[in-house]
Amino acid sequence: MDTQWRDKKLYPALGIFTILFLLYLNFKDNLNFSFPQIFVKQPYMGFVGVNKTRFYIKNDDQKTQDLHFQELYINGWNSYWLMEESVWEYSRFRVSKMLKKGSEMGLSVCRTWGFSDGGGPNDLQLLPGVFNERVFKGLDYIVVEARKHNIRLILSLVNNLKAYGGTAQYIRWAQEAGTNVSTSRDAFFTNPTIKAYYKSFVKAVVTRKNSISGVKYSEEPAIFAWELINEPRCESSKSASALQAWIAEMSEFVKSLDQKHLVTVGLEGFYGVEKTGSVGSNPGKWAASLGVDFIENSGIDNIDFTSVHAYPHSWIKGINPDAKVDFLSRWIDSHIDEAEKILKKPVLFTEVGFPSSVRKNNGLYDRNIFLKIVYDKIYESAKKRKAGAGALVWQLLVEGMERYGDKFSFIAWNHPSTYKLMVQQSCRLLNTSTQGLTHKKLNKNHPCLANAS
């Protein structure tokens, strides 16, 4: 470098820039000027829609402006912990690894928490309508990483359980604000102040502009669907009508903010006490007294697809494993059949959880036996173009995330037989769809292409 040019031009220019930058940092709050923000470029992704009992991907041809529709059958998983691990940059690599590994298994949808309510350092909503921007940026990171790996997200918006705040936190906030509110958790579905809190949160999330990509969540195809609430239950069956009204009101509210994404409830799939026919499919009499009903709750117009969970080992106590197998088989069949014939909507089994215990008589893992039942029934439904649209395993971890685990959680690649079963399901669902194994958009490293060769 020419010494004279460096001394007379480069150094003075750097000095001026440094002074201006320091002035900006000190006085930026009083300035109308801001440096232009640079957003990351993202791969193309189509939005997911519903056509009667099937999901499809709507792809826009960038050159011809033509629309192409591809069927979508889903093999996916749950990792509820993604946002908490995205809050701090030093732990984000685990989130990236989970999404990358999911993609390598041919999985297409991940369900995770889009909520964390309370006053802790890792909570998203600190008070009603007051948010931790650092945590929001963690959620931004998840959305960008998911799209990078061709994964779509189901974001749940509140927990009916106490973990991560949940409905109980909303009730406490209302009480602390001096609102006359019942101590029953069913007040979440009826109290006007609490419903306003929830709508404020939903609006903040749905209309957020991603700080990394610059894309609004309502315009982001990497979001598969909004889930209104994880596992809604009422303390009293008398609150059933209140829950039904709440689902109708909140699904309509989400649709008023976002017409591009699907909406689901977050049901476990139980049948109500006043219903006939499928009540016998419940895991026990207790399930009919929770104020929820699969048919009624899922039948609301703004609910695009039905959601069901399956936990025979938690729901049914004191019976032999074969009886649990029989229950699971009936549970899957009844929900696919009613989604097809009554609701005329896709049914997605958004949580299916089984333990990794080994059967003494044959040495097989319980998880593989039960998971294969779910997978086979989804596959048979897909071949017939019926309502069984997919299933999401509960839940996957990566190394170092064991603290988020329960008896149903596992690191898939540490369980080769289960890993193989999951990849096989991904591939046969893909091959069943109109996209198929030969689709040009498939990455050359896609596991199903490797298996097909």
Side-chain angles (χ1 to χ4, degrees):
M1 180 183 291
D2 181 74
T3 304
Q4 188 175 17
W5 181 88
R6 180 186 62 194
D7 294 341
K8 290 186 176 182
K9 294 185 177 181
L10 179 60
Y11 287 163
L14 289 174
I16 293 171
F17 177 80
T18 301
I19 293 170
L20 290 174
F21 185 68
L22 290 173
L23 288 171
Y24 170 76
L25 291 179
N26 280 282
F27 299 104
K28 62 180 180 178
D29 293 336
N30 299 319
L31 297 175
N32 292 322
F33 168 79
S34 62
F35 287 104
Q37 189 170 0
I38 300 174
F39 297 114
V40 297
K41 185 178 180 180
Q42 299 190 100
Y44 174 79
M45 199 179 224
F47 282 91
V48 175
V50 167
N51 180 14
K52 296 182 179 179
T53 60
R54 283 174 275 170
F55 293 121
Y56 66 87
I57 303 172
K58 182 176 70 173
N59 288 313
D60 299 295
D61 191 306
Q62 303 287 300
K63 296 180 180 179
T64 65
Q65 305 299 311
D66 291 337
L67 289 178
H68 302 281
F69 299 92
Q70 298 168 352
E71 287 177 327
L72 176 65
Y73 296 102
I74 294 165
N75 195 29
W77 83 100
N78 287 267
S79 287
Y80 77 83
W81 47 270
L82 296 184
M83 185 166 67
E84 188 167 359
E85 286 301 308
S86 295
V87 173
W88 306 101
E89 291 194 14
Y90 66 79
S91 61
R92 286 182 175 179
F93 75 93
R94 297 188 180 98
V95 174
S96 300
K97 181 176 182 178
M98 185 69 263
L99 293 168
K100 182 175 184 291
K101 286 289 189 178
S103 181
E104 289 174 353
M105 296 169 69
L107 306 179
S108 57
V109 172
C110 175
R111 178 172 171 265
T112 192
W113 294 167
F115 60 80
S116 183
D117 303 304
N122 294 338
D123 286 327
L124 175 58
Q125 187 173 208
L126 305 175
L127 291 167
V130 179
F131 302 98
N132 187 333
E133 180 61 18
R134 178 168 46 78
V135 181
F136 242 144
K137 287 181 177 179
L139 188 56
D140 293 342
Y141 178 80
I142 297 168
V143 174
V144 169
E145 282 294 293
R147 185 163 174 175
K148 174 182 174 182
H149 294 292
N150 199 35
I151 299 292
R152 291 177 171 86
L153 301 169
I154 296 177
L155 293 178
S156 190
L157 295 170
V158 72
N159 203 357
N160 191 54
L161 308 174
K162 291 182 179 179
Y164 295 86
T167 57
Q169 180 62 68
Y170 279 82
I171 293 172
R172 283 194 296 272
W173 278 332
Q175 291 170 338
E176 291 166 1
T179 303
N180 183 16
V181 56
S182 167
T183 56
S184 168
R185 70 182 186 187
D186 293 354
F188 179 83
F189 303 118
T190 59
N191 184 271
T193 298
I194 294 173
K195 290 198 289 183
Y197 288 166
Y198 177 79
K199 286 182 177 180
S200 174
F201 172 76
V202 168
K203 184 176 182 180
V205 174
V206 173
T207 63
R208 177 171 174 81
K209 183 178 180 180
N210 194 305
S211 62
I212 301 172
S213 67
V215 179
K216 283 187 174 183
Y217 283 19
S218 59
E219 302 286 334
E220 175 55 72
I223 295 174
F224 179 90
W226 303 110
E227 182 182 273
L228 297 179
I229 180 171
N230 174 52
E231 298 188 342
R233 294 183 180 187
C234 300
E235 287 188 350
S236 169
S237 60
K238 295 179 180 178
S239 297
S241 59
L243 173 61
Q244 180 75 356
W246 184 89
I247 294 170
E249 179 181 351
M250 298 310 169
S251 59
E252 182 180 10
F253 179 71
V254 174
K255 289 289 188 179
S256 74
L257 300 172
D258 178 2
Q259 295 81 45
K260 291 190 174 182
H261 288 106
L262 305 178
V263 175
T264 194
V265 181
L267 298 170
E268 295 165 275
F270 302 133
Y271 299 95
V273 67
E274 296 180 358
K275 305 300 174 185
T276 58
S278 295
V279 175
S281 297
N282 275 338
K285 292 182 178 179
W286 55 268
S289 63
L290 300 174
V292 295
D293 183 76
F294 172 70
I295 302 295
E296 190 171 64
N297 300 153
S298 302
I300 293 170
D301 288 343
N302 285 313
I303 298 302
D304 297 297
F305 66 95
T306 69
S307 54
V308 179
H309 295 181
Y311 289 103
H313 294 78
S314 294
W315 292 345
I316 306 174
K317 306 293 184 183
I319 64 173
N320 64 57
D322 290 336
K324 292 178 182 178
V325 167
D326 292 340
F327 162 76
L328 179 64
S329 183
R330 294 193 308 272
W331 184 251
I332 302 297
D333 285 341
S334 67
H335 287 87
I336 291 177
D337 188 60
E338 287 162 349
E340 176 74 27
K341 295 178 181 177
I342 301 175
L343 296 169
K344 303 187 188 307
K345 297 179 181 183
V347 56
L348 187 60
F349 293 84
T350 49
E351 289 187 28
V352 293
F354 315 109
S356 59
S357 53
V358 178
R359 292 200 175 187
K360 294 180 180 180
N361 59 340
N362 56 21
L364 294 176
Y365 284 101
D366 264 7
R367 178 181 291 124
N368 292 4
I369 294 170
F370 285 85
L371 189 57
K372 189 174 188 304
I373 292 171
V374 176
Y375 279 174
D376 286 349
K377 289 184 178 295
I378 294 296
Y379 177 55
E380 290 303 316
S381 178
K383 285 197 301 182
K384 298 173 183 176
R385 299 300 189 263
K386 292 189 178 294
L392 312 181
V393 169
W394 182 276
Q395 69 154 340
L396 296 189
L397 306 172
V398 297
E399 294 82 356
M401 294 293 94
E402 289 80 4
R403 65 184 177 277
Y404 295 108
D406 54 27
K407 66 180 180 180
F408 306 120
S409 305
F410 62 107
I411 300 172
W413 42 98
N414 290 346
H415 298 261
S417 59
T418 308
Y419 186 95
K420 181 179 179 180
L421 182 64
M422 294 177 71
V423 172
Q424 288 175 339
Q425 178 72 353
S426 297
C427 296
R428 63 179 182 172
L429 288 182
L430 179 63
N431 200 30
T432 300
S433 73
T434 53
Q435 180 174 339
L437 294 179
T438 59
H439 193 269
K440 63 183 179 181
K441 288 186 178 294
L442 286 184
N443 187 292
K444 64 180 180 180
N445 297 320
H446 195 284
C448 302
L449 292 181
N451 290 348
S453 60

